[in-house]
Amino acid sequence: MNLLVLPQPQCTACDLHKYAKNPGVPGVFLPGSQPLSPSTPIVAELGMNPGFQEDRLNEPFVGPSGKMLKEIFLPPILHDATVLLLNTARCYTPAAAPPKPRHFRCCFPKFSAEDLATLGQYIQPHVPKVLLCTGAHAISTVTKFTHGKSWSLASAFTKQGTPPGLWGDWQLFTTFHPAAVLRSRNLLHPVADHMTLVHAAVTGSMPVASSPRVVPPFSPFEVTP
């Protein structure tokens, strides 16, 4: 596998390929992020599936959601990490309908999960590796695959930095899908908080809980003899 150019899946395992101009839209490394190397931290962003423009151009995240992702979500980490853009399902679905669970189950383990496993072996141990799930479909599919039970978006927000348990020492982070932010701009604030955590993971500055300092109780009514 040439890691500088991820291969385009050639898959007819589910019905989605029948509706796509470019079945199996490949993952791409984001220009402007750091070049891929064994010693460079990596953030693999995982979306839902290609939209109309992504299918037409055969490239992920080039539509309005992609513009939001590249201009708002990812700039805080571009100078510190290689950024890879992936999708949970690799084919376009017509009428803006999300893929069905069977489509995700068919596509993710065979393609995106394999890409993550290969990258995990290529990058040196203990170099930060972050899987950033954007949206409910991505985190639900990943956790069903890695933990045997799907997490809701709300649950995932309380478990930022959790090891997925597969593909080496990746850390699992979650934020809202860019399409949700386009519909509701008040989500920009939690997205900024999530990306601050991702940046801290990439740079090795995640806060670590310390042991509490136990102070003996003091009663104001004690009289010193």
Side-chain angles (χ1 to χ4, degrees):
M1 176 180 181
N2 180 359
L3 287 174
L4 296 179
V5 181
L6 294 181
Q8 179 155 1
Q10 301 297 319
C11 182
T12 58
C14 80
D15 58 300
L16 288 186
H17 75 279
K18 300 176 183 178
Y19 311 107
K21 177 182 178 182
N22 288 292
V25 173
V28 298
F29 292 98
L30 183 62
S33 66
Q34 294 300 302
L36 178 68
S37 82
S39 59
T40 302
I42 187 167
V43 175
E45 182 277 335
L46 189 68
M48 184 172 70
N49 75 305
F52 174 78
Q53 295 188 49
E54 287 79 7
D55 179 54
R56 182 169 58 88
L57 298 174
N58 198 33
E59 183 178 341
F61 290 96
V62 293
S65 291
K67 184 177 181 181
M68 168 70 72
L69 181 79
K70 295 171 184 175
E71 295 183 359
I72 304 297
F73 286 46
L74 298 177
I77 61 175
L78 294 182
H79 297 296
D80 297 295
T82 304
V83 177
L84 173 64
L85 303 180
L86 292 171
N87 273 304
T88 315
R90 297 291 187 97
C91 286
Y92 165 71
T93 47
K100 297 184 183 302
R102 69 174 186 273
H103 298 138
F104 290 121
R105 290 195 300 267
C106 179
C107 198
F108 176 73
K110 190 174 181 180
F111 298 116
S112 292
E114 286 298 312
D115 290 341
L116 294 170
T118 302
L119 286 165
Q121 294 172 355
Y122 173 75
I123 298 172
Q124 295 173 356
H126 310 302
V127 172
K129 305 171 190 68
V130 170
L131 175 57
L132 174 63
C133 294
T134 53
H137 289 93
I139 189 62
S140 174
T141 301
V142 168
T143 51
K144 180 67 174 178
F145 182 68
T146 59
H147 291 74
K149 182 179 180 180
S150 295
W151 295 357
S152 68
L153 202 57
S155 176
F157 289 154
T158 69
K159 301 175 183 178
Q160 302 282 31
T162 299
L166 296 172
W167 318 308
D169 51 349
W170 289 82
Q171 292 176 278
L172 186 60
F173 286 82
T174 311
T175 192
F176 292 101
H177 194 280
V181 180
L182 286 171
R183 295 191 297 268
S184 180
R185 292 302 180 110
N186 63 339
L187 297 180
L188 283 169
H189 299 293
V191 166
D193 291 339
H194 301 155
M195 295 311 300
T196 297
L197 289 174
V198 170
H199 183 263
V202 163
T203 57
S205 56
M206 283 282 287
V208 178
S210 58
S211 300
R213 181 184 177 190
V214 179
V215 179
F218 169 76
S219 171
F221 302 104
E222 288 184 4
V223 177
T224 305

